[in-house]
Amino acid sequence: MPTRRPRHVPRHAAPPRVDPRLTRLTVVAAVLAVAGTTTAVALPMPQAALNAPLGAPPSAESTSAPPPEKTVTITGTGDIILGSAPGDLPPDGAEGFFGRAEGVMDGDLLIGNFEGALTEREKSAKCKPKAENCAAFRMPPAYAKVIADAGFDVLNLANNHALDYGPGGLADTVAALDDAGIEHTGTRGEYAEFTVDGVDVAVVGVSPYSWSQDMHDLDGTIALVEAAGERNDLVIMSMQAGGEGADKDHVAPGEEIFLGEKRGDVMAFTRAVIDAGADLVIGHGPHVMRGMEFYRGRLIAYSLGNFAGYRVLSTEGNRGVGGVLSVTLTIDGDWAGGELRATRMVDGGYPAPDPDNTAHDTCNELSRADFGATAALVTEGGRITPP
């Protein structure tokens, strides 16, 4: 089980970190040059070595192979909306809403992108009186427990629906998630931190909006990734970006524009944050699957499509197709395996496994078309392999 760590710890307060590779050494001495002199610093020695007589041959403990490197499995979904009050809510208080998808959400740390507000406020700051086709999503705060019961550890709130009911609605959402024990990320300067089986993990949420950790503020986002990396072994990026709709499934260089909004240059941005130390990018927002590629050994999943959208998201064609990404990384961020678990929205927007595995073929076609030699390959059964 992941353990939440205190939030917003000042960067200068970060404890000194020791390269985990040094813990594999039996006896290590470091010589530091200080103002023309040298100081010997001995790192901790195993007790068995301390107790051994001088000149004794090394013990089996000291000569055995190092233990396997620690790994952690990160699982991420696409967009999540559990309906919209007052008229488009699932029955029975949404109890068991994620039940059909339980088998595809396994992992050490489960991340989702939550769109909308958990609030009782009835007046949307987004929709003008008598406005038609205004998408403002509101769900009861009690739904936070439904999300927690499904196993979600952290939700990205950096997206175009978090402020549907204004700053007050966002504050209500944060309070509901806190009460349910779910972490959140996405506001400026914010990241969530966990310890999973001895591996420290940070989750950074970004979007193209100025109230959030804005991906257009590249210098600021790079600084945040670097700060998170100083305190953690792994940095995971949850990215809301790109145009929306059935025809927005391809990725190309340059800024994407949708409804007059700048939705980010996702290719340039993801490379920059990986250069800064991010180990995995999980994308969402276009409401369709996009391709995946590897950059410097790190996976970029540009969009996982729709995971859940009860009576508010279209289930037609490619808009009903989604995927759950599960990636295993070493403590150093190296690739140790991964899979794409195909899903589909059913019965008006419930998440469920897709027996046809549509997401696998869709992802492969898009990845090859958009990224060529750097494309990730999804093999039979959903296993992801680097190029």
Side-chain angles (χ1 to χ4, degrees):
M1 287 290 292
T3 302
R4 298 166 63 183
R5 305 212 313 277
R7 301 166 61 80
H8 303 301
V9 178
R11 185 175 179 180
H12 67 267
R17 299 191 63 82
V18 177
D19 187 333
R21 291 170 294 184
L22 295 180
T23 63
R24 303 176 190 168
L25 303 180
T26 305
V27 181
V28 179
V31 179
L32 306 178
V34 181
T37 64
T38 60
T39 303
V41 180
L43 297 182
M45 187 182 299
Q47 190 62 42
L50 291 173
N51 294 336
L54 291 175
S59 66
E61 176 184 343
S62 65
T63 58
S64 62
E69 192 165 16
K70 293 180 179 178
T71 62
V72 61
T73 298
I74 308 296
T75 301
T77 76
D79 300 298
I80 299 170
I81 310 172
L82 284 72
S84 187
D88 293 318
L89 294 175
D92 303 319
E95 183 178 355
F97 183 85
F98 296 96
R100 282 176 264 199
E102 284 181 355
V104 300
M105 296 191 293
D106 295 339
D108 297 321
L109 188 68
L110 181 59
I111 305 169
N113 177 59
F114 180 75
E115 301 212 54
L118 295 167
T119 183
E120 299 290 357
R121 300 169 192 264
E122 297 182 358
K123 184 178 180 180
S124 171
K126 178 179 182 181
C127 298
K128 305 298 182 183
K130 298 183 180 180
E132 296 183 2
N133 300 319
C134 179
F137 304 135
R138 172 170 67 91
M139 290 145 275
Y143 281 19
K145 185 178 185 303
V146 175
I147 299 170
D149 289 345
F152 284 93
D153 299 296
V154 56
L155 295 181
N156 176 55
L157 301 180
N159 56 60
N160 55 319
H161 289 287
L163 289 180
D164 279 359
Y165 286 80
L170 177 58
D172 293 342
T173 302
V174 168
L177 295 177
D178 286 342
D179 288 345
I182 302 174
E183 263 290 3
H184 42 85
T185 183
T187 60
R188 273 180 285 182
E190 177 188 45
Y191 53 86
E193 294 184 311
F194 301 86
T195 299
V196 187
D197 294 333
V199 180
D200 292 339
V201 183
V203 181
V204 181
V206 300
S207 79
Y209 301 103
S210 60
W211 67 266
S212 71
Q213 184 58 46
D214 188 352
M215 61 191 300
H216 292 109
D217 176 15
L218 188 56
D219 290 341
T221 303
I222 286 173
L224 186 64
V225 169
E226 291 175 341
E230 287 183 4
R231 290 175 43 83
N232 295 274
D233 303 304
L234 301 176
V235 178
I236 311 302
M237 175 72 69
S238 180
M239 176 187 72
Q240 169 93 1
E244 299 182 24
D247 61 341
K248 298 298 189 296
D249 52 357
H250 283 282
V251 178
E255 184 80 30
E256 294 191 43
I257 307 294
F258 183 72
L259 298 179
E261 294 180 342
K262 292 183 176 181
R263 292 289 186 91
D265 182 339
V266 294
M267 293 185 73
F269 174 80
T270 52
R271 283 159 174 72
V273 295
I274 288 174
D275 288 340
D279 297 293
L280 171 67
V281 178
I282 303 173
H284 35 74
H287 297 294
V288 289
M289 285 289 301
R290 287 185 166 187
M292 299 189 296
E293 69 168 333
F294 280 87
Y295 172 71
R296 297 184 62 181
R298 271 50 178 170
L299 180 67
I300 304 169
Y302 283 95
S303 175
L304 295 177
N306 290 326
F307 184 57
Y310 185 77
R311 297 184 66 176
V312 295
L313 295 178
S314 173
T315 62
E316 296 297 320
N318 62 349
R319 290 172 292 181
V321 174
V324 173
L325 179 69
S326 189
V327 170
T328 301
L329 302 175
T330 72
I331 195 170
D332 295 321
D334 294 331
W335 181 260
E339 61 179 330
L340 181 66
R341 301 163 183 169
T343 63
R344 180 179 288 276
M345 294 193 300
V346 300
D347 295 340
Y350 288 92
D354 178 9
D356 296 327
N357 290 323
T358 308
H360 297 169
D361 290 339
T362 298
C363 188
N364 278 335
E365 291 172 7
L366 293 168
S367 299
R368 292 189 184 105
D370 293 347
F371 312 119
T374 64
L377 175 65
V378 181
T379 62
E380 186 174 357
R383 188 166 63 93
I384 300 170
T385 59

